[in-house]
Amino acid sequence: MVDTYFWQDLTKAEAVNILSIFVKSLNGMRDVQRPRPLWPELDALLFNVVEGKSSEWGVSPWHAYVTSLVPKVLAFTSPLFAIGMLQLIRRKPSVADERARFLLLTAATHIAVLSILGHKEWRFAFYILPALNVVSAIGACSLMRSWPGRVTLASLLLLQIGLSWFTGYLSGINYPGGEALKLLHLQLSLTATPGVKVVVHINVLPAMTGVTLFQSVNLERDTSPGLFDRLADTLPATCKSDSCWVYDKTEDLPLSGPAASAAWSGFTHLITEASDCGVLQDESGAALPQSEQPFEMITPPIKSFAGLRRKSVSQIKADLLRLPKALLSTLPFAGGSSGQTLFDHVMRLALPVIIVEQPSIWLCRRKDVAK
């Protein structure tokens, strides 16, 4: 119902309280062929569970949550969870243990129900993490009773913190679309062509990797009375009429023939996954030569995470020898590069693996706009 509230037409704002939201969410349920309620969560429930179509998103084995997905989410706290489970089974239950068992039962029920569906994802198991962490805390408490246990617990916690930090860093470099739009705003703020209205086309991959409406700072926004009045301090301000951009996300544009040239001529800039801005193709599907392409690159391509590769022993030794100097350069009095750049450099030296990145998003400008 929260989604329903924010999905409504803000210029009409018909749903003003929780009861009216619920009533509005049931619109479309009278459709005999396929009930389509306005409430997105209910619509998803009907599609995935009642109609049994979750398998259209992919199928995993029935045991995937227990044997793969949940252990991946728990990571280095998995041993603590296992120890906590043993403690709940073996010792005489206290009031706290009874509560932990109840939480564990609810988590197991949740996983059992999800396992019935063919499609499974680790994000669906997020809701049981608090319950599993309670059981893990019981395991951690049992380890605190001896010095070997304390060392083991400290090691597991450090490994978990390191893993969270590392995966968070990888996630941060895996949103090239958002980085591209940020860079485009910066580029055009410095090199904008007077009198030219910016119409930027955002392709599928950039739209999936970080481009958001909140980041579209030059978007003309409807300031009609309604929800915006209540969120005026959090929403980006609308642009002035002469400086507004058009952020176009039209899919399935033609790529070859006269229709393609006409379709792409309406854009002044592109954020695309088409290599070297080669959006137009010949009849065989091959990209046309650069001389026949209507767009050109305005920055080097934005890279994204492409995998990990093990370092050789000699490379690990060389990087460790360079690490002290890199750490000294991060001190305030050292000066030099920006803090983020130095942090990235130090981290990549310290890791036993190489973070592989590859070009994924190109920023493009129509050639006649530059003239």
Side-chain angles (χ1 to χ4, degrees), residues 42-79:
L42 180 57
D43 190 19
L45 181 67
L46 292 173
F47 180 86
N48 292 314
V49 180
V50 177
E51 298 178 18
K53 294 184 178 180
S54 67
S55 58
E56 293 184 8
W57 304 104
V59 178
S60 300
W62 65 269
H63 53 79
Y65 281 112
V66 177
T67 59
S68 176
L69 300 178
V70 172
K72 283 182 179 179
V73 173
L74 289 175
F76 289 108
T77 60
S78 295

Side-chain angles (χ1 to χ4, degrees), residues 13 76 130 165 173 293 305:
F76 289 108
W165 167 69
I173 62 174
Q293 295 287 350
F305 175 69

Side-chain angles (χ1 to χ4, degrees), residues 99-152:
R99 293 174 179 174
R101 287 180 177 181
F102 175 75
L103 291 174
L104 189 59
L105 177 62
T106 59
T109 303
H110 180 79
I111 291 299
V113 172
L114 289 179
S115 297
I116 298 174
L117 301 177
H119 182 63
K120 300 173 180 65
E121 294 184 32
W122 57 268
R123 61 190 177 97
F124 298 158
F126 270 6
Y127 308 101
I128 68 170
L129 283 182
L132 300 187
N133 285 337
V134 169
V135 179
S136 299
I138 294 174
C141 288
S142 66
L143 289 179
M144 289 292 292
R145 296 169 185 166
S146 65
W147 279 108
R150 292 175 187 175
V151 173
T152 302

Side-chain angles (χ1 to χ4, degrees), residues 8 38 51 55 60 93 97 105 108 135 164 167 170 203 236 318 355 361:
Q8 65 179 321
L38 178 63
E51 298 178 18
S55 58
S60 300
D97 288 348
L105 177 62
V135 179
S164 299
T167 54
L170 294 182
N203 219 329
I355 299 174
I361 303 294

